[in-house]
PDB file of all heavy atoms in Angstrom:
ATOM      1  N   PHE A 277     -15.466 -15.251   1.142  1.00  0.00           N
ATOM      2  CA  PHE A 277     -16.446 -14.219   0.797  1.00  0.00           C
ATOM      3  C   PHE A 277     -16.053 -13.651  -0.550  1.00  0.00           C
ATOM      4  O   PHE A 277     -14.942 -13.905  -1.042  1.00  0.00           O
ATOM      5  CB  PHE A 277     -16.535 -13.141   1.891  1.00  0.00           C
ATOM      6  CG  PHE A 277     -15.289 -12.318   2.059  1.00  0.00           C
ATOM      7  CD1 PHE A 277     -15.117 -11.112   1.395  1.00  0.00           C
ATOM      8  CD2 PHE A 277     -14.259 -12.760   2.903  1.00  0.00           C
ATOM      9  CE1 PHE A 277     -13.966 -10.351   1.563  1.00  0.00           C
ATOM     10  CE2 PHE A 277     -13.101 -12.017   3.067  1.00  0.00           C
ATOM     11  CZ  PHE A 277     -12.952 -10.808   2.394  1.00  0.00           C
ATOM     12  N   ARG A 278     -16.975 -12.920  -1.153  1.00  0.00           N
ATOM     13  CA  ARG A 278     -16.802 -12.494  -2.543  1.00  0.00           C
ATOM     14  C   ARG A 278     -16.843 -10.973  -2.629  1.00  0.00           C
ATOM     15  O   ARG A 278     -17.751 -10.354  -2.081  1.00  0.00           O
ATOM     16  CB  ARG A 278     -17.965 -13.098  -3.342  1.00  0.00           C
ATOM     17  CG  ARG A 278     -18.009 -12.742  -4.793  1.00  0.00           C
ATOM     18  CD  ARG A 278     -19.159 -13.486  -5.461  1.00  0.00           C
ATOM     19  NE  ARG A 278     -20.454 -12.884  -5.166  1.00  0.00           N
ATOM     20  CZ  ARG A 278     -21.638 -13.499  -5.350  1.00  0.00           C
ATOM     21  NH1 ARG A 278     -21.688 -14.732  -5.795  1.00  0.00           N
ATOM     22  NH2 ARG A 278     -22.752 -12.873  -5.070  1.00  0.00           N
ATOM     23  N   ILE A 279     -15.840 -10.371  -3.283  1.00  0.00           N
ATOM     24  CA  ILE A 279     -15.923  -8.944  -3.584  1.00  0.00           C
ATOM     25  C   ILE A 279     -16.127  -8.816  -5.097  1.00  0.00           C
ATOM     26  O   ILE A 279     -15.475  -9.499  -5.885  1.00  0.00           O
ATOM     27  CB  ILE A 279     -14.678  -8.151  -3.107  1.00  0.00           C
ATOM     28  CG1 ILE A 279     -13.382  -8.691  -3.713  1.00  0.00           C
ATOM     29  CG2 ILE A 279     -14.582  -8.163  -1.586  1.00  0.00           C
ATOM     30  CD1 ILE A 279     -12.142  -7.851  -3.369  1.00  0.00           C
ATOM     31  N   THR A 280     -17.089  -7.982  -5.478  1.00  0.00           N
ATOM     32  CA  THR A 280     -17.485  -7.875  -6.891  1.00  0.00           C
ATOM     33  C   THR A 280     -17.363  -6.428  -7.351  1.00  0.00           C
ATOM     34  O   THR A 280     -17.767  -5.518  -6.629  1.00  0.00           O
ATOM     35  CB  THR A 280     -18.955  -8.350  -7.054  1.00  0.00           C
ATOM     36  OG1 THR A 280     -19.036  -9.707  -6.614  1.00  0.00           O
ATOM     37  CG2 THR A 280     -19.423  -8.246  -8.495  1.00  0.00           C
ATOM     38  N   ILE A 281     -16.776  -6.241  -8.533  1.00  0.00           N
ATOM     39  CA  ILE A 281     -16.763  -4.890  -9.107  1.00  0.00           C
ATOM     40  C   ILE A 281     -17.607  -4.872 -10.379  1.00  0.00           C
ATOM     41  O   ILE A 281     -17.586  -5.809 -11.180  1.00  0.00           O
ATOM     42  CB  ILE A 281     -15.339  -4.360  -9.396  1.00  0.00           C
ATOM     43  CG1 ILE A 281     -14.530  -5.301 -10.301  1.00  0.00           C
ATOM     44  CG2 ILE A 281     -14.597  -4.085  -8.100  1.00  0.00           C
ATOM     45  CD1 ILE A 281     -13.231  -4.688 -10.820  1.00  0.00           C
ATOM     46  N   LEU A 282     -18.364  -3.788 -10.550  1.00  0.00           N
ATOM     47  CA  LEU A 282     -19.131  -3.586 -11.764  1.00  0.00           C
ATOM     48  C   LEU A 282     -18.200  -3.048 -12.852  1.00  0.00           C
ATOM     49  O   LEU A 282     -17.127  -2.522 -12.546  1.00  0.00           O
ATOM     50  CB  LEU A 282     -20.286  -2.604 -11.487  1.00  0.00           C
ATOM     51  CG  LEU A 282     -21.599  -3.265 -11.040  1.00  0.00           C
ATOM     52  CD1 LEU A 282     -21.428  -4.010  -9.722  1.00  0.00           C
ATOM     53  CD2 LEU A 282     -22.710  -2.213 -10.891  1.00  0.00           C
ATOM     54  N   PRO A 283     -18.633  -3.173 -14.139  1.00  0.00           N
ATOM     55  CA  PRO A 283     -17.769  -2.714 -15.237  1.00  0.00           C
ATOM     56  C   PRO A 283     -17.359  -1.243 -15.117  1.00  0.00           C
ATOM     57  O   PRO A 283     -16.307  -0.854 -15.622  1.00  0.00           O
ATOM     58  CB  PRO A 283     -18.603  -2.964 -16.491  1.00  0.00           C
ATOM     59  CG  PRO A 283     -19.919  -3.471 -16.054  1.00  0.00           C
ATOM     60  CD  PRO A 283     -19.824  -3.871 -14.633  1.00  0.00           C
ATOM     61  N   GLN A 284     -18.161  -0.423 -14.423  1.00  0.00           N
ATOM     62  CA  GLN A 284     -17.784   0.994 -14.247  1.00  0.00           C
ATOM     63  C   GLN A 284     -16.408   1.129 -13.598  1.00  0.00           C
ATOM     64  O   GLN A 284     -15.735   2.148 -13.752  1.00  0.00           O
ATOM     65  CB  GLN A 284     -18.822   1.708 -13.358  1.00  0.00           C
ATOM     66  CG  GLN A 284     -20.108   2.070 -14.063  1.00  0.00           C
ATOM     67  CD  GLN A 284     -21.130   0.935 -14.046  1.00  0.00           C
ATOM     68  OE1 GLN A 284     -20.774  -0.233 -13.992  1.00  0.00           O
ATOM     69  NE2 GLN A 284     -22.394   1.299 -14.130  1.00  0.00           N
ATOM     70  N   LEU A 285     -15.994   0.098 -12.840  1.00  0.00           N
ATOM     71  CA  LEU A 285     -14.702   0.176 -12.167  1.00  0.00           C
ATOM     72  C   LEU A 285     -13.548  -0.304 -13.041  1.00  0.00           C
ATOM     73  O   LEU A 285     -12.418   0.138 -12.858  1.00  0.00           O
ATOM     74  CB  LEU A 285     -14.733  -0.635 -10.861  1.00  0.00           C
ATOM     75  CG  LEU A 285     -15.459   0.050  -9.698  1.00  0.00           C
ATOM     76  CD1 LEU A 285     -15.794  -0.934  -8.598  1.00  0.00           C
ATOM     77  CD2 LEU A 285     -14.601   1.169  -9.132  1.00  0.00           C
ATOM     78  N   TYR A 286     -13.819  -1.216 -13.986  1.00  0.00           N
ATOM     79  CA  TYR A 286     -12.683  -1.728 -14.757  1.00  0.00           C
ATOM     80  C   TYR A 286     -12.694  -1.321 -16.238  1.00  0.00           C
ATOM     81  O   TYR A 286     -11.722  -1.572 -16.942  1.00  0.00           O
ATOM     82  CB  TYR A 286     -12.522  -3.248 -14.578  1.00  0.00           C
ATOM     83  CG  TYR A 286     -13.531  -4.121 -15.287  1.00  0.00           C
ATOM     84  CD1 TYR A 286     -13.317  -4.515 -16.608  1.00  0.00           C
ATOM     85  CD2 TYR A 286     -14.690  -4.564 -14.648  1.00  0.00           C
ATOM     86  CE1 TYR A 286     -14.232  -5.330 -17.259  1.00  0.00           C
ATOM     87  CE2 TYR A 286     -15.604  -5.381 -15.294  1.00  0.00           C
ATOM     88  CZ  TYR A 286     -15.371  -5.759 -16.603  1.00  0.00           C
ATOM     89  OH  TYR A 286     -16.273  -6.550 -17.244  1.00  0.00           O
ATOM     90  N   ILE A 287     -13.793  -0.718 -16.709  1.00  0.00           N
ATOM     91  CA  ILE A 287     -13.784  -0.086 -18.033  1.00  0.00           C
ATOM     92  C   ILE A 287     -13.754   1.407 -17.723  1.00  0.00           C
ATOM     93  O   ILE A 287     -14.785   2.020 -17.426  1.00  0.00           O
ATOM     94  CB  ILE A 287     -15.037  -0.470 -18.858  1.00  0.00           C
ATOM     95  CG1 ILE A 287     -15.130  -1.994 -19.013  1.00  0.00           C
ATOM     96  CG2 ILE A 287     -15.033   0.225 -20.215  1.00  0.00           C
ATOM     97  CD1 ILE A 287     -14.033  -2.621 -19.863  1.00  0.00           C
ATOM     98  N   GLN A 288     -12.544   1.973 -17.721  1.00  0.00           N
ATOM     99  CA  GLN A 288     -12.336   3.259 -17.064  1.00  0.00           C
ATOM    100  C   GLN A 288     -12.301   4.438 -18.029  1.00  0.00           C
ATOM    101  O   GLN A 288     -11.519   4.442 -18.983  1.00  0.00           O
ATOM    102  CB  GLN A 288     -11.016   3.195 -16.278  1.00  0.00           C
ATOM    103  CG  GLN A 288     -11.034   2.076 -15.245  1.00  0.00           C
ATOM    104  CD  GLN A 288      -9.692   1.834 -14.601  1.00  0.00           C
ATOM    105  OE1 GLN A 288      -8.643   2.109 -15.185  1.00  0.00           O
ATOM    106  NE2 GLN A 288      -9.724   1.293 -13.385  1.00  0.00           N
ATOM    107  N   PRO A 289     -13.162   5.442 -17.786  1.00  0.00           N
ATOM    108  CA  PRO A 289     -13.172   6.619 -18.649  1.00  0.00           C
ATOM    109  C   PRO A 289     -11.832   7.355 -18.580  1.00  0.00           C
ATOM    110  O   PRO A 289     -11.237   7.458 -17.511  1.00  0.00           O
ATOM    111  CB  PRO A 289     -14.293   7.490 -18.083  1.00  0.00           C
ATOM    112  CG  PRO A 289     -14.617   6.950 -16.745  1.00  0.00           C
ATOM    113  CD  PRO A 289     -14.109   5.549 -16.663  1.00  0.00           C
ATOM    114  N   ILE A 290     -11.370   7.820 -19.713  1.00  0.00           N
ATOM    115  CA  ILE A 290     -10.161   8.634 -19.727  1.00  0.00           C
ATOM    116  C   ILE A 290     -10.527   9.995 -20.312  1.00  0.00           C
ATOM    117  O   ILE A 290     -11.612  10.180 -20.842  1.00  0.00           O
ATOM    118  CB  ILE A 290      -9.044   7.968 -20.551  1.00  0.00           C
ATOM    119  CG1 ILE A 290      -9.563   7.627 -21.942  1.00  0.00           C
ATOM    120  CG2 ILE A 290      -8.517   6.729 -19.867  1.00  0.00           C
ATOM    121  CD1 ILE A 290      -8.564   7.908 -22.987  1.00  0.00           C
TER     122      ILE A 290
END
Side-chain angles (χ1 to χ4, degrees):
F277 66 93
R278 178 176 77 197
I279 57 175
T280 300
I281 55 169
L282 269 62
Q284 282 87 332
L285 283 164
Y286 74 87
I287 302 293
Q288 301 171 333
I290 53 139

